[in-house]
Amino acid sequence: MKLHWITLVGAAGFLLITAATVPSPTPYNWKLPKGFPQPHVPADNPMTVEKVELGRHLFYDTRLSGNGMMACSTCHRQNRAFGDDTPTTPGTFGDRGFRKSMAIVNVVYTGTLTWSNPEKRLENQALVPLFGTHPVEMGLDKDNSFLEDLSADPVYKKLFRAAFPSEKKPVTVANVTKALASFQRSLISGNSPYDRYRFQGDENAISDVAKHGEKLFFSSMFGCGRCHGGFNFSDSTITAKNPERAVFHNTGLYNVKGPTHYPAPNVGLYEHTKSKYDIGLFKAPTLRNIALHPPYMHDGSVPTLDAVLDHYAAGGRTIKSGPHAGVGKDNPNKDHLLTGFELTKEDRAALLAFLHSLTDREFMTNPKFSDPWPE
Ligand code: HEC
Ligand code: HEC
């Protein structure tokens, strides 16, 4: 009887000790910038410090590609606000990409992911670059052999155990995507000169020209704020209070001959819904850090912010010759309020100064977001 009792105490002690070696994960403290609402996080993947740290290691790891050459960070570079500065980036085996890499900025607040997909969950979206074949981006084998490489690394052994302490075999694809999602949700940018001026009470953080640009941007004549409004400069914004939002627009970027008016395969939301009213409809992305990642638009076909303003001033882009020739202004699906405006030299300078004031230098250099692997 006594022996039995001792065994029980021993077992309980052993359990306590095991629990102590793998402590429960630490809830993530957002430290949100002023003016930022509480973000929406899916209930099945709560934010923890340990998951974010694991996700950071995975985001910068080329073992997540079929030939060990490409990481998420290859196309999503911190010094480009986690976007890129080329129209498209080839996949790890050289396959041509169709669209421009997007800047991962405040993505926790984004209602739908990528340029024109109704997908809402970062956990699902990551599977596209990892395993997608149209085009092949990171080109991982379907047999998930990369998980063996990760399991064999003592760094990951520790990180996966800390992030998923209740699981016996935590190195799974599902946990890889959960951790990647957690790291990406931590990528908050809210300390640009504009933020210091608008939300932190520093009157002198931006120039008078930029302040004038802010007025023009939100005016009904220029109308930018209608689609790029709110604290995140995108109408596709979700928060803890309003966790659903999916809106897309056609800005008259193309009007080529043929039934889709937009050059295939970049036909917008139509690719997913097959409704003709969705042809050429794209998400209005956040304009935070926009100066850091030219060229612009879903296919990187607009080289500079100056040229972006020309496109909107004309109420749609005209391409005079070549396979994409056409008058974007006349695109049948174009947002009917985008009618164009006259743009003086002064107004152009003001709008550009405002857009540049949205660049957050801290975001580009924050060591918490940088490559954790030794060189
Ligand atoms: C070869 C380049 C490339 C690689 C590698 C890559 N991406 Fe992307 N990423 C893109 C492109 C291109 C888009 C836009 C895709 C589209 O619209 O169809 C994108 C879009 C995204 C978006 C949408 C952002 C938004 O604001 O909607 C997220 C999130 C994302 N990628 C995460 C990742 C993650 C996580 C990885 C690694 C597992 C990764 N990407 C690897 C090129 C890449
Ligand atoms: C009707 C909604 C709408 C209005 C109004 C609007 N935009 Fe946009 N904006 C979009 C959409 C949608 C895209 C993406 C289009 C694409 O890729 O084809 C976009 C893209 C952009 C981009 C490129 C983003 C990137 O990451 O490449 C910039 C810069 C931009 N808009 C600035 C402006 C400015 C400045 C104004 C006002 C003059 C404005 N927008 C007005 C919807 C709008």
Side-chain angles (χ1 to χ4, degrees), residues 31 40-41 64 68 92 114 143 160 163 168 190 201 209 215 237 265 293 309 314-315 320 330 344 356-357 366:
K31 298 193 195 101
H40 165 73
V41 175
L64 265 61
T92 199
T114 74
D143 67 2
F160 272 97
K168 270 209 189 105
V209 179
K215 283 205 188 85
T237 295
H293 54 85
L309 293 181
K320 291 214 174 90
D330 300 334
T344 64
H356 278 270
S357 80
N366 189 338

Side-chain angles (χ1 to χ4, degrees), residues 115 217 222-224 226-228 249 251 253 282-285 287 290 293 296-298 305 308-309 312 335 338 341:
W115 286 105
F217 184 90
F222 292 93
C224 316
R226 185 161 60 86
C227 303
H228 299 285
H249 314 272
T251 68
L253 202 60
F282 292 87
K283 174 172 84 174
L287 298 186
I290 191 71
H293 54 85
Y296 299 107
M297 307 299 174
H298 64 270
L305 287 175
V308 168
L309 293 181
Y312 285 113
D335 183 289
L338 280 178
F341 44 79

